[in-house]
Amino acid sequence: MVKSDIISATKANRLYWLGRYECRVYLTLHQLNKCFDEMIDGEPDDYTEFWSKLDATGIYKTNEEFTFGMLYDDTNPCSVLSAQKFAMDNAILLREDIMSETLSYLEMSVALLKKCKQEATVNISHLQPVIDWALAFWGSAEQRLQNHKALDIMMIGRNIENLDMQIRFDYPFRRVALAYDSLKRYCKSMSGALDENISSLLDKLITLEQYDLGDNEYKTELIKYVNQLVRV
């Protein structure tokens, strides 16, 4: 029997946030690895601006607190452990769709993060398996999700998070424009997924002539619109 491809609003929301949170895990670890290198090699204040882009709460006072907190502080929604837990919470409720094999990558990641937290491990290289499992998660989801609409919703969430992080970390115009185009390609398959007014505003803002992430007002506006773009 072929299952219906109709997706409820609740399930669509879970798929979207599963995509966002799992992408956040991968990208936060990637950026933390760069930040960790700067903290080792740079002057004490070199990474202060880097902190502010990752840690919205601003609660950490030293590089040690920052590294440990951004990895394992499950009271901080910006941390890797928090994002991984949020991803797994959504995935558990979607088990019948993504299958147990796909869920297992998230379960292994949470287990490793908790183990490293208990051992007070702050060496990012010890968390390389979490990065590898994040990539394996996407490969498994693409293989096992039979409902293409469900996969597209997850990919929309993934692309929104990717675009958001690229803007926050001042990626060059070409990378951000490519990320925006990728997001819109996935949205084309989902009628009504985009807020057309917001999309029109972003089309005008994400141009070579307008692009200036050194302008804080422009950057803040861009991030706001990216996070209002999708109706899920």
Side-chain angles (χ1 to χ4, degrees):
M1 180 182 295
V2 178
K3 292 184 178 180
S4 170
D5 64 353
I6 296 174
I7 298 173
S8 68
T10 299
K11 180 175 285 189
N13 185 266
R14 289 171 185 156
L15 288 161
Y16 172 79
W17 282 105
L18 172 55
R20 286 203 67 160
Y21 283 127
E22 192 56 22
C23 184
R24 189 175 302 176
V25 168
Y26 177 84
L27 292 176
T28 302
L29 280 172
H30 172 67
Q31 296 295 344
L32 277 173
N33 195 40
K34 292 170 64 177
C35 188
F36 189 70
D37 288 342
E38 289 192 23
M39 286 191 286
I40 292 173
D41 300 331
E43 295 297 323
D45 293 333
D46 282 354
Y47 44 80
T48 303
E49 184 179 356
F50 209 104
W51 282 18
S52 65
K53 294 174 182 176
L54 278 175
D55 175 26
T57 63
I59 60 176
Y60 307 117
K61 306 303 180 185
T62 67
N63 60 341
E64 291 83 7
E65 283 184 11
F66 171 74
T67 305
F68 190 83
M70 285 305 303
L71 289 172
Y72 309 122
D73 184 357
D74 51 12
T75 67
N76 183 350
C78 301
S79 76
V80 174
L81 180 56
S82 288
Q84 193 66 85
K85 282 183 172 180
F86 291 146
M88 191 171 75
D89 288 346
N90 282 289
I92 287 171
L93 296 172
L94 296 164
R95 183 194 294 266
E96 290 186 4
D97 298 275
I98 66 172
M99 309 294 283
S100 296
E101 293 88 347
T102 307
L103 175 62
S104 68
Y105 293 112
L106 308 186
E107 292 173 329
M108 289 189 294
S109 293
V110 169
L112 178 58
L113 285 163
K114 287 182 175 179
K115 178 175 181 289
C116 288
K117 178 181 181 179
Q118 187 174 17
E119 296 172 353
T121 302
V122 293
N123 190 331
I124 307 296
S125 64
H126 291 185
L127 295 172
Q128 181 61 41
V130 177
I131 295 175
D132 296 338
W133 290 331
L135 295 173
F137 165 84
W138 289 109
S140 180
E142 288 180 332
Q143 182 181 32
R144 292 181 169 84
L145 253 175
Q146 299 301 309
N147 187 328
H148 295 297
K149 287 184 180 178
L151 181 58
D152 284 345
I153 294 170
M154 278 181 57
M155 293 301 294
I156 288 170
R158 181 185 188 182
N159 277 267
I160 283 282
E161 191 67 28
N162 180 50
L163 184 57
D164 176 275
M165 289 284 275
Q166 287 195 16
I167 295 168
R168 290 179 190 277
F169 284 91
D170 303 318
Y171 276 56
F173 170 74
R174 181 176 177 276
R175 293 285 299 275
V176 169
L178 286 172
Y180 183 46
D181 286 344
S182 176
L183 169 62
K184 289 195 291 185
R185 284 198 302 273
Y186 279 104
C187 288
K188 281 181 181 178
S189 66
M190 301 292 297
S191 178
L194 286 181
D195 183 307
E196 296 298 334
N197 291 327
I198 299 295
S199 180
S200 296
L201 289 169
L202 284 172
D203 287 345
K204 295 175 183 176
L205 289 170
I206 304 179
T207 64
L208 187 57
E209 295 75 21
Q210 293 290 327
Y211 195 74
D212 180 12
L213 294 181
D215 181 335
N216 286 332
E217 185 176 344
Y218 169 84
K219 184 176 182 177
T220 300
E221 191 173 35
L222 208 56
I223 292 171
K224 179 182 73 172
Y225 289 146
V226 164
N227 286 282
Q228 293 175 350
L229 179 61
V230 176
R231 295 170 169 170
V232 175

